[in-house]
Amino acid sequence: MKEGPDIARIASLIGDPARANILTALMAGKALTASELASEAGVTAQTASTHLSRLVSGGLLILRRQGRHKYFALASDEVAKVLEGLMGLAAHGGHLRTRTGPKDRAMKKARVCYNHLAGEMGTRLFDRFVGLGYLDRSGNSLRLSPLGKSVMVDFGIDVDGLAGARAPLCRECLDWSERTSHLAGSLGRSLFSRMVDLGWAKRDPAGRAVIFSAKGEQAFEAFLSAKA
Amino acid sequence: MKEGPDIARIASLIGDPARANILTALMAGKALTASELASEAGVTAQTASTHLSRLVSGGLLILRRQGRHKYFALASDEVAKVLEGLMGLAAHGGHLRTRTGPKDRAMKKARVCYNHLAGEMGTRLFDRFVGLGYLDRSGNSLRLSPLGKSVMVDFGIDVDGLAGARAPLCRECLDWSERTSHLAGSLGRSLFSRMVDLGWAKRDPAGRAVIFSAKGEQAFEAFLSAKA
DNA sequence: CCAATGCTTCGATTAGCATCGAACTATGAA
DNA sequence: TTCATAGTTCGATGCTAATCGAAGCATTGG
């Protein structure tokens, strides 16, 4: 009778309303921070913290540390499948959450991640920088090449000043909506703030979305289509 | 955080150990009575009664009255699938239980599930019995073929005596560690107890592991390698 | 260095619920 | 009818875990 895997342990993990809300919020596939999940779940940060650590140690979530943030995501497709199955069982009178409003589309295209550029445009910039040889991604480290440095200087960034600071110059930041990396670090921040200074884009004051002007987007594209 | 399907309600239903045991017992596909389920779950009849009524009103179980008995079964295949998914998550993610000590390896290889053989050897026996035509798995039912019956009789099992009893002769039981079925039912029990009588194996008095002797394992292999 | 932000740990409180003994109802058999 | 078996309801008990306030770390920015 006490045979088999401990499904009660897993099920009771999912069975708490706050944790169920957290898991449901993560069904969208994006990773969210602890604070975001706390507000999704409708509990305080302390409570969410204990829930999240339980979910991680229970194998339902995985954790990515990124600076002073912690990003949580579902651990695997199997987890998502089980949750989907549970939703099916539970859908007697309930309806599925609806997502992907117009705001989400803007967020997906371009948004700030702390103070650097993320979303489609952020990841394209990163990929292109690597392809053009501006960034050198050998081994685990990410470094700015001499070519990349001269391009950045031409763009109006004080690379030497940044390099003197303690903070790392270049860092990869996993972009969860695109499932690939974008550029973080002090260079990433400077790059974005330079774009804002140039009038290419501005931040949505209400959220994390970044709105490029038409001219700004053209300039951005031209910047990326420089020949190697 | 708003309203979605109430997966927490369903999950917390499964999340109680006693109810999880009940559901697991019903995974075999057979309907069981309230008393049987009480003993499967390891709780008293009163406790089981409240659990069962919750499971029914939660939509996980269906109820069939038959005389003064109440037979319970899983409400649908979807329920079974969710349970199976949970078993998968629990088996892979439950790092506390999945430490592979020497004892766990023994458990994985051979153990008792109630009173029949489970684990690698149990599932191999089941598969081989089906392959040799001893068991007929057409449709949902599992039956002992005439050939299988004569082999069982030769092995020293009173098949007719078992068939007269109330308990089902053959039953499939999903083996969580192997993800396939092994043989349960009164035949499964008799088969295992006969192996013990023959000195092939004995139960670990401290746990559920089954320890085969060297000769016993040889005999077991010879038994399975009979030609069809 | 200091301030701000994101997250965690601690302690105390609270609420829910699983559990069982005992008494009760219902069905079937002699 | 009377007895036996199957299952339920009730009340009391005790344990677990969710929750939040407050304080403590850790990282980042200036």
Side-chain angles (χ1 to χ4, degrees):
Chain A
M1 99 198 160
K2 276 183 182 166
E3 192 62 36
D6 200 350
I7 76 171
R9 194 160 191 92
I10 298 293
S12 69
L13 267 180
I14 308 174
D16 174 76
R19 287 192 294 261
N21 282 335
I22 287 172
L23 292 165
T24 304
L26 291 171
M27 280 287 283
K30 293 185 189 175
L32 298 173
T33 66
S35 327
E36 289 169 324
L37 289 169
S39 105
E40 288 280 344
V43 294
T44 61
Q46 312 95 288
T47 305
S49 179
T50 65
H51 284 315
L52 288 168
S53 70
R54 275 187 191 221
L55 288 168
V56 168
S57 75
L60 295 182
L61 297 185
I62 51 171
L63 167 62
R64 281 276 156 83
R65 286 166 219 266
Q66 214 120 92
R68 55 181 164 180
H69 293 271
K70 286 194 170 184
Y71 277 87
F72 295 88
L74 297 186
S76 67
D77 286 350
E78 285 194 16
V79 175
K81 273 191 181 172
V82 168
L83 293 176
E84 215 171 296
L86 284 171
M87 286 183 182
L89 293 182
H92 278 280
H95 63 307
L96 287 170
R97 308 157 56 89
T98 51
R99 296 193 159 264
T100 62
K103 209 142 199 171
D104 289 309
R105 242 179 292 126
M107 287 271 288
K108 186 167 162 48
K109 181 173 182 184
R111 65 177 179 275
V112 281
C113 178
Y114 318 124
N115 286 309
H116 56 261
L117 187 64
E120 280 174 21
M121 296 182 76
T123 58
R124 281 190 39 230
L125 182 131
F126 180 82
D127 290 343
R128 194 72 185 128
F129 272 28
V130 172
L132 289 169
Y134 297 171
L135 293 172
D136 179 16
R137 188 160 58 160
S138 52
N140 321 0
S141 73
L142 183 70
R143 287 170 34 194
L144 186 65
S145 72
L147 171 61
K149 178 178 172 180
S150 79
V151 173
M152 291 302 104
V153 170
D154 286 349
F155 192 58
I157 291 176
D158 175 17
V159 177
D160 287 323
L162 293 177
R166 286 188 314 269
L169 184 64
C170 307
R171 199 186 317 174
E172 271 184 60
C173 180
L174 191 60
D175 192 298
W176 281 93
S177 68
E178 303 305 308
R179 302 256 173 160
T180 176
S181 294
H182 58 245
L183 181 63
S186 59
L187 179 61
R189 273 193 296 277
S190 298
L191 212 49
F192 175 64
S193 85
R194 182 79 180 124
M195 291 179 187
V196 174
D197 289 345
L198 289 170
W200 289 11
K202 61 182 176 183
R203 300 175 59 148
D204 175 5
R208 293 167 56 204
V210 169
I211 297 118
F212 271 73
S213 68
K215 283 193 178 178
E217 197 158 349
Q218 282 178 10
F220 181 87
E221 296 299 333
F223 187 45
L224 291 196
S225 56
K227 45 177 166 284
Chain B
M1 157 195 173
K2 308 298 164 350
E3 293 307 318
D6 199 352
I7 75 173
R9 192 160 193 90
I10 299 292
S12 70
L13 268 180
I14 309 174
D16 174 75
R19 289 193 293 263
N21 282 334
I22 288 172
L23 292 165
T24 303
L26 291 171
M27 281 287 283
K30 262 290 200 177
L32 298 174
T33 66
S35 326
E36 288 170 322
L37 289 169
S39 104
E40 291 281 347
V43 294
T44 61
Q46 312 94 290
T47 305
S49 179
T50 65
H51 285 316
L52 288 168
S53 71
R54 275 186 193 217
L55 288 168
V56 169
S57 75
L60 295 182
L61 296 187
I62 51 172
L63 167 62
R64 237 184 11 184
R65 283 165 221 268
Q66 207 159 74
R68 55 179 164 178
H69 293 271
K70 287 192 171 183
Y71 279 88
F72 295 88
L74 297 186
S76 67
D77 285 352
E78 287 193 13
V79 175
K81 272 191 180 168
V82 168
L83 293 176
E84 209 173 302
L86 285 171
M87 285 185 186
L89 292 183
H92 292 104
H95 65 323
L96 280 178
R97 313 195 67 163
T98 331
R99 270 178 313 161
T100 47
K103 209 141 198 168
D104 289 310
R105 244 178 290 127
M107 286 270 290
K108 187 167 161 50
K109 182 172 182 185
R111 65 178 178 273
V112 282
C113 179
Y114 316 126
N115 286 308
H116 55 261
L117 187 65
E120 279 174 21
M121 296 182 75
T123 57
R124 280 189 39 230
L125 181 130
F126 180 81
D127 290 343
R128 194 72 185 126
F129 271 27
V130 172
L132 289 169
Y134 298 169
L135 293 172
D136 179 17
R137 187 160 58 160
S138 53
N140 331 0
S141 73
L142 182 70
R143 287 172 32 194
L144 186 65
S145 72
L147 170 62
K149 178 177 172 181
S150 79
V151 172
M152 291 301 103
V153 169
D154 286 349
F155 192 58
I157 292 176
D158 177 16
V159 176
D160 287 321
L162 293 176
R166 291 184 311 268
L169 184 64
C170 308
R171 197 159 75 183
E172 271 185 62
C173 181
L174 188 63
D175 193 298
W176 61 268
S177 67
E178 303 303 309
R179 293 297 196 107
T180 176
S181 294
H182 58 245
L183 181 63
S186 59
L187 179 61
R189 275 194 293 277
S190 298
L191 211 50
F192 174 63
S193 84
R194 181 80 179 123
M195 290 179 187
V196 173
D197 288 345
L198 289 171
W200 290 10
K202 58 184 177 184
R203 298 174 61 148
D204 176 5
R208 293 169 217 105
V210 169
I211 296 117
F212 272 73
S213 68
K215 283 193 179 178
E217 197 158 349
Q218 283 177 9
F220 181 86
E221 296 299 335
F223 188 46
L224 290 196
S225 57
K227 43 175 166 285

